[in-house]
Structure formats: structure tokens, C-alpha cells
């Protein structure tokens, strides 16, 4: 019975890790960098950049 309780909470570990990495990415301004790169790629695809 104790083993089942351990596995019931195992889903929390990937959730917590992903939230921590998400917050670190926001803290180092990663969303802005991704947006800039996608903007440049789109401009290159249509032949402007």
C-alpha cells in the first residue's frame, strides 16, 4: 500500500522541474529571444530579410 502512495505523487516531480525551468527561462529573457528569432525566420522565408 505504501508503494502506491509513492507512485501517486510521482507526477509532481516532472511538473515541478518543468515549472522551475520555465521560470528560469523567463528570468533570462528567453521568450524575447525566441520571438526575435521567429520574426527573423519569417522575414527570411518571405524574402524580406
Amino acid at each position: 500500500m505504501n508503494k502506491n502512495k509513492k507512485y501517486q505523487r510521482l507526477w509532481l516531480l516532472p511538473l515541478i522541474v518543468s515549472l522551475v525551468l520555465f521560470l528560469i527561462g523567463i528570468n533570462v529573457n528567453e521568450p524575447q529571444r525566441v520571438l526575435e528569432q521567429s520574426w527573423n525566420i519569417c522575414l527570411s522565408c518571405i524574402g524580406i530579410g
Side-chain angles (χ1 to χ4, degrees), residues 32-45:
Q32 181 64 35
R33 183 171 176 227
V34 171
L35 183 62
E36 289 171 0
Q37 288 177 350
S38 64
W39 181 263
N40 289 334
I41 289 172
C42 285
L43 290 178
S44 295
C45 286

Side-chain angles (χ1 to χ4, degrees), residues 3-21:
K3 189 176 183 181
N4 287 339
K5 284 188 177 186
K6 180 180 177 182
Y7 287 120
Q8 286 178 347
R9 294 187 181 168
L10 189 61
W11 64 273
L12 281 174
L13 181 64
L15 178 66
I16 292 170
V17 170
S18 63
L19 285 175
V20 167
L21 291 175

Side-chain angles (χ1 to χ4, degrees), residues 18-33:
S18 63
L19 285 175
V20 167
L21 291 175
F22 179 73
L23 293 174
I24 290 171
I26 289 175
N27 194 31
V28 296
N29 206 19
E30 193 68 24
Q32 181 64 35
R33 183 171 176 227

